[in-house]
Amino acid sequence: MRLDRFLSETTDLTRGLAKKALHRGEVTVNGEVVKQPAQHVGEQDRVHLEEELLVLVGLRYIMLNKPAGVECSARRGLYPRAIELIELPKVERLQTVGRLDVDTTGMVLLTDDGQWSHRVTSPRKRCGKVYRVSLAEPLEGEALENAVAYFAEGVLLDGEEKPIRPAGLTMLTPVDAELTLYEGKYHQVKRMFGAIGNRVEALHRVSIGPLSLDELAPGEWRELTDAEVAAFS
Ligand code: URA
């Protein structure tokens, strides 16, 4: 790969700024200052920008415990973006795998591997996503039985042409539910409870497929292990 491209892949420099850094003599390859942007570098070469050794990053797979007040959008908006919590180079290349609302907390996966992202989100893969839901009104007795049956048979939400995929509902207390979904429609959990005359007060995603948030505190993130990445193949 050309040296200027290598620099732009491994740092936050654009190709233009990489060329300027080269011109200033800030880059060494195997200990020698190199100024030519077109010089070829390969895996065996040790490239430093000033004192920093540069390493090509491969595809990245990250789990974040999203706090409230952070959005899953790629574009800058009113709120800080989930990618801004990840202290890695080239975070702009990462995309969230599905989205959580700004006020929803919990597990978000981020990656620059589009095919993997598709495997995790595709409803056909039946990858369950588990949410803890705090409700405004208690849900118990006959109303609960009706809700469990209604969610299990597939609710037709306002504005949708097809019913949603069957979802699993379990109550932990009369106002705390655990809901398992197999797809991710816009505001799906809030709309489902709205459809049975209730309201979601707080929403937290605890797991996606075989991955659970374990000990990550709000705002913390970690890279997935190879086995965790492979679990969605
Ligand atoms: N359903 C919602 O209503 N909001 C979320 O953030 C996720 C699922």
Side-chain angles (χ1 to χ4, degrees):
M1 165 185 316
R2 282 173 58 111
L3 183 53
D4 56 347
R5 171 144 175 247
F6 181 92
L7 291 170
S8 71
E9 295 273 329
T10 53
T11 68
D12 287 326
L13 299 178
T14 60
R15 288 280 272 275
L17 288 175
K19 283 182 182 150
K20 286 187 179 153
L22 284 163
H23 186 68
R24 288 193 298 269
E26 291 171 2
V27 179
T28 60
V29 178
N30 305 322
E32 302 285 332
V33 172
V34 175
K35 294 194 170 183
Q36 292 78 33
Q39 166 139 346
H40 187 269
V41 284
E43 271 175 19
Q44 72 290 351
D45 292 314
R46 292 177 68 76
V47 182
H48 285 80
L49 173 63
E50 301 193 288
E51 296 303 305
E52 190 191 350
L53 175 66
L54 304 180
V55 183
L56 271 177
V57 287
L59 293 171
R60 295 167 299 175
Y61 306 87
I62 286 153
M63 178 195 295
L64 166 72
N65 185 353
K66 185 183 99 57
V70 169
E71 64 186 354
C72 289
S73 168
R75 296 217 193 116
R76 280 178 215 279
L78 284 181
Y79 299 92
R81 295 169 298 162
I83 54 170
E84 289 164 24
L85 300 179
I86 314 296
E87 303 99 16
L88 286 177
K90 303 284 175 192
V91 286
E92 297 287 340
R93 289 187 189 168
L94 296 173
Q95 299 209 336
T96 61
V97 179
R99 289 182 177 205
L100 290 182
D101 298 335
V102 170
D103 58 348
T104 302
T105 57
M107 189 191 288
V108 171
L109 300 177
L110 300 106
T111 185
D112 37 19
D113 181 346
Q115 289 182 0
W116 187 80
S117 178
H118 181 71
R119 286 204 291 279
V120 177
T121 48
S122 166
R124 266 185 264 127
K125 292 277 174 188
R126 273 194 67 78
C127 172
K129 296 169 192 77
V130 179
Y131 294 85
R132 290 273 157 83
V133 192
S134 303
L135 295 171
E137 305 294 337
L139 183 55
E140 41 197 349
E142 204 182 327
L144 172 58
E145 281 170 30
N146 291 342
V148 170
Y150 186 48
F151 287 178
E153 78 197 16
V155 185
L156 181 62
L157 294 172
D158 275 355
E160 300 289 338
E161 287 179 358
K162 284 196 276 179
I164 58 166
R165 289 178 182 244
L169 173 65
T170 311
M171 296 309 287
L172 307 173
T173 75
V175 288
D176 295 303
E178 195 168 86
L179 184 71
T180 305
L181 301 185
Y182 295 93
E183 64 203 325
K185 295 198 182 297
Y186 181 67
H187 289 336
Q188 183 165 341
V189 177
K190 293 171 185 166
R191 288 160 74 204
M192 286 172 71
F193 283 100
I196 59 165
N198 212 315
R199 190 164 48 79
V200 171
E201 293 216 310
L203 186 56
H204 179 74
R205 183 156 68 192
V206 288
S207 65
I208 298 179
L211 305 183
S212 56
L213 261 183
D214 40 69
E215 76 286 356
L216 284 184
E220 281 186 353
W221 60 276
R222 68 171 176 86
E223 296 202 46
L224 299 187
T225 64
D226 291 348
E228 287 171 331
V229 174
F232 293 95
S233 297

